[in-house]
Amino acid sequence: MALHQSDLEKITLLVNSFGKSMIEISEKMGISLAFIKRKACLGINAPGSKVATLISVHGEGCHGTVSLFMDLASFSEYVNKMTHGIIPPSTSDDTALSVAGEISNMISGHAVIALSQRGFQGLDITPPQIFTGENIKTLRLPEEQGYTFTLPFNIADNPQSLVYQVLLFRK
């Protein structure tokens, strides 16, 4: 199904805003991310994920979800930076897991503010949901109902660490 120019511009703005927010919020925390352009894809591809967060975004012109999928190395990096090493980065520790939720919240909130300045009105986000396990997966919408994108990043100081931003927007 072909996209109309206005739909393509809207989707491009959404994806760019959330991706840019991911980088900017991480940098404010002292984490330098590198976007892995060759691994970006339509659909969902977040192998090795152990921690995931999901936030719904809704409002005029935008209905969807923003998810972060982290391997253990990226989860540890975010927990250590956010808590200055005070909280051990354990996937069985609710406090450590709340860090992942807060990061997701900060990224989504930052993107929503940027989008509101670009004409998206009444955008709001839900509190984050947090999931743990081996190779966490999510379902994508059928193509006729929406668009799903995976934006992969690694932490520049640790190229083996991977964090994926999965964006799903309803038509």
Side-chain angles (χ1 to χ4, degrees):
M1 176 184 286
L3 282 171
H4 295 305
Q5 182 65 27
S6 62
D7 290 338
L8 181 59
E9 289 171 1
K10 180 174 110 174
I11 293 296
T12 300
L13 181 59
L14 289 167
V15 171
N16 287 341
S17 294
F18 280 96
K20 184 177 178 185
S21 181
M22 176 84 178
I23 292 169
E24 289 176 354
I25 292 300
S26 295
E27 285 179 353
K28 285 181 182 179
M29 294 175 59
I31 297 173
S32 179
L33 290 184
F35 176 58
I36 310 169
K37 187 175 183 178
R38 72 186 187 308
K39 289 188 177 182
C41 65
L42 294 174
I44 301 164
N45 185 22
S49 300
K50 307 286 190 220
V51 176
T53 64
L54 180 126
I55 288 183
S56 292
V57 180
H58 52 89
E60 186 179 317
C62 179
H63 295 280
T65 60
V66 177
S67 300
L68 295 183
F69 289 80
M70 299 178 200
D71 65 9
L72 286 178
S74 62
F75 173 69
S76 295
E77 186 74 21
Y78 278 102
V79 171
N80 284 328
K81 288 290 185 180
M82 189 111 167
T83 68
H84 303 287
I86 295 171
I87 297 172
S90 169
T91 59
S92 60
D93 182 336
D94 290 342
T95 305
L97 290 171
S98 72
V99 169
E102 183 55 28
I103 292 161
S104 186
N105 201 29
M106 291 172 7
I107 290 166
S108 297
H110 188 265
V112 163
I113 290 168
L115 287 165
S116 70
Q117 295 168 346
R118 301 287 305 265
F120 285 80
Q121 299 301 309
L123 290 180
D124 201 2
I125 59 175
T126 63
Q129 298 178 48
I130 304 166
F131 307 92
T132 62
E134 294 293 318
N135 293 314
I136 301 166
K137 298 180 193 272
T138 186
L139 301 175
R140 64 180 258 195
L141 286 174
E143 287 182 25
E144 66 273 4
Q145 293 180 13
Y147 309 100
T148 308
F149 306 90
T150 299
L151 305 179
F153 302 87
N154 67 3
I155 295 173
D157 296 341
N158 182 0
Q160 301 304 312
S161 66
L162 294 168
V163 57
Y164 302 91
Q165 188 178 52
V166 176
L167 307 169
L168 181 150
F169 299 112
R170 295 187 181 277
K171 289 186 176 178

